[in-house]
């Protein structure tokens, strides 16, 4: 694979008006574990090696506070910071020690369209395990953008991602062998579309979806299989209106993968996925995908 400076998508931070209830949902229903609590933030872990994959912080409403990427080396961290400065990103926190429980060296910026991004190297990890029907790690984050081409160029030229596919409404970008770690979706406003959590397999997606239904959370879209990325999916809306996805079987790519364009990603009329069995996305899910904006008050 290409020598990407970013190794992986690690975690996201979301504000919630009901911190305790939101933490309970993700721990008792969605399938994460509370890893730590510090300075008003609850850190939740999946079963993989990341110390945490989700941070919940008290806020007036649900918003995306930041997206965190793990960087391959300290040199890469310094180079990315220099590129971010050249690209006129807002510097929120310059390179230095992270005070999160996961530690490491980090910096935090806001890219030109408003998404707050953290880059970290040397953060703590844990022993990975596999548990049927529990998320292993984050699979991707989907960001709404009023100018996909401009934001896609930023990810490629400044952050070193590679475009893997471009459908009519979305750009798919990778930083490792996963087909995509970031998806950019055309939208009327910039903000969060959804966060996807990787499950061990299709069976786990089905069992996790059943658990959500048992707790009163209907499937917003799915179960189905996407086109770009070839991954299985089931979408839900969490108690604060954030769209979250169980996914599995993400396509693995290398430097020989050919990026396809919109003309090659077209379904027959009435179909929304490869299998042709997923019903149309619910109105509640569609509305929620446009309702979670960036936290503009994010500061160091």
């Amino acid at each position: 694979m290409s020598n990407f400076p970013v190794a992986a998508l690690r975690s996201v931070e979301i504000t919630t008006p009901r911190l305790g209830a939101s933490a309970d949902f993700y721990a008792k229903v969605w399938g994460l574990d509370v890893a730590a609590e510090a300075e008003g933030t609850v850190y939740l872990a999946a079963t993989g090696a990341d110390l945490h994959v989700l941070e919940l912080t008290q806020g007036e409403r649900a918003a995306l506070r930041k997206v965190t990427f793990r960087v391959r080396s300290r040199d890469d961290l310094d180079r990315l910071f220099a590129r971010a400065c050249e690209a006129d990103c807002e510097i929120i926190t310059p390179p230095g020690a992270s005070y999160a429980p996961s530690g490491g060296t980090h910096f935090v910026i806001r890219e030109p369209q408003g998404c707050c991004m953290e880059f970290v190297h040397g953060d703590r990890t844990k022993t990975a395990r596999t548990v049927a029907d529990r998320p292993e790690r984050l699979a991707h984050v989907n960001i709404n953008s009023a100018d996909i081409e401009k934001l896609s160029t930023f990810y490629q030229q400044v952050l070193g991602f590679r475009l893997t596919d471009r459908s009519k409404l979305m750009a798919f970008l990778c930083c490792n062998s996963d087909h995509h770690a970031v998806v950019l979706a055309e939208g009327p406003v910039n903000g969060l579309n959804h966060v996807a959590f990787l499950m061990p397999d299709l069976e786990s997606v089905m069992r996790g979806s059943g658990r959500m239904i048992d707790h009163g959370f209907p499937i917003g879209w799915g179960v189905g299989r996407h086109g770009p990325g070839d991954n299985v999916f089931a979408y839900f809306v969490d108690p604060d209106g954030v769209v979250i996805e169980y996914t599995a079987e993400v396509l693995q790519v290398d430097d020989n993968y050919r990026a396809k364009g919109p003309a090659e990603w077209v379904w027959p009329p009435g179909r929304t996925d490869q299998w042709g069995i997923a019903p149309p996305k619910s109105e509640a899910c569609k509305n929620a995908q446009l309702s979670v904006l960036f936290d503009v008050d994010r500061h160091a």
Side-chain angles (χ1 to χ4, degrees):
M1 285 292 293
S2 300
N3 185 23
F4 297 104
V6 172
L9 169 67
R10 190 198 70 179
S11 58
V12 296
E13 181 180 4
I14 294 172
T15 60
T16 168
R18 303 174 301 161
L19 183 57
S22 185
D24 281 348
F25 164 78
Y26 279 100
K28 297 176 180 178
V29 182
W30 190 245
L32 304 180
D33 296 311
V34 175
E37 296 184 39
E39 297 183 358
T41 296
V42 179
Y43 298 82
L44 293 117
T47 64
D50 299 314
L51 200 68
H52 65 270
V53 299
L54 177 63
E55 300 172 45
L56 297 175
T57 302
Q58 186 75 35
E60 293 184 2
R61 59 183 125 13
L64 178 63
R65 199 156 193 252
K66 74 172 186 289
V67 179
T68 298
F69 298 96
R70 180 176 290 112
V71 177
R72 295 186 185 277
S73 71
R74 177 57 199 261
D75 286 345
D76 284 324
L77 190 76
D78 292 338
R79 280 191 288 267
L80 283 172
F81 182 71
R83 290 181 191 173
C85 292
E86 292 170 359
D88 293 327
C89 294
E90 177 187 353
I91 307 304
I92 295 174
T93 306
S98 169
Y99 295 103
S102 50
T105 303
H106 78 147
F107 69 84
V108 183
I109 61 167
R110 191 185 306 278
E111 52 86 1
Q113 290 190 21
C115 183
C116 189
M117 312 172 80
E118 178 184 36
F119 299 86
V120 61
H121 172 67
D123 57 320
R124 292 170 52 206
T125 57
K126 58 183 175 65
T127 301
R129 57 197 175 97
T130 299
V131 180
D133 81 7
R134 303 285 171 166
E136 296 181 324
R137 59 177 171 88
L138 291 191
H140 61 266
V141 61
N142 188 311
I143 300 295
N144 293 326
S145 171
D147 190 341
I148 288 181
E149 295 307 324
K150 185 175 181 180
L151 190 54
S152 177
T153 298
F154 172 83
Y155 270 91
Q156 293 176 69
Q157 295 185 358
V158 178
L159 305 182
F161 282 64
R162 182 161 63 90
L163 183 73
T164 44
D165 276 305
R166 180 70 163 91
S167 66
K168 181 181 179 181
L169 298 177
M170 296 186 184
F172 298 80
L173 297 141
C174 74
C175 61
N176 52 39
S177 61
D178 283 356
H179 177 271
H180 53 277
V182 173
V183 183
L184 308 178
E186 182 177 302
V189 293
N190 300 323
L192 176 66
N193 186 289
H194 69 270
V195 180
F197 294 75
L198 186 72
M199 299 289 265
D201 48 32
L202 170 59
E203 178 77 7
S204 297
V205 171
M206 300 300 286
R207 291 187 178 277
S209 297
R211 181 176 64 247
M212 287 287 287
I213 291 171
D214 286 345
H215 284 83
F217 296 92
I219 296 177
W221 186 30
V223 174
R225 186 179 287 279
H226 285 310
D230 198 38
N231 45 313
V232 176
F233 66 89
Y235 287 56
F236 298 87
V237 181
D238 85 355
D240 292 325
V242 178
V243 178
I244 47 180
E245 175 189 358
Y246 284 140
T247 191
E249 302 181 1
V250 179
L251 180 68
Q252 299 298 289
V253 299
D254 58 23
D255 289 336
N256 296 317
Y257 183 81
R258 181 182 68 84
K260 293 178 279 295
E264 297 174 272
W265 292 117
V266 180
W267 301 128
R271 176 174 289 204
T272 63
D273 76 318
Q274 285 196 55
W275 291 335
I277 62 170
K281 188 181 298 180
S282 72
E283 289 301 313
C285 187
K286 287 192 287 187
N287 291 336
Q289 285 182 293
L290 297 174
S291 67
V292 179
L293 306 181
F294 300 136
D295 179 12
V296 296
D297 296 326
R298 179 65 167 94
H299 54 79

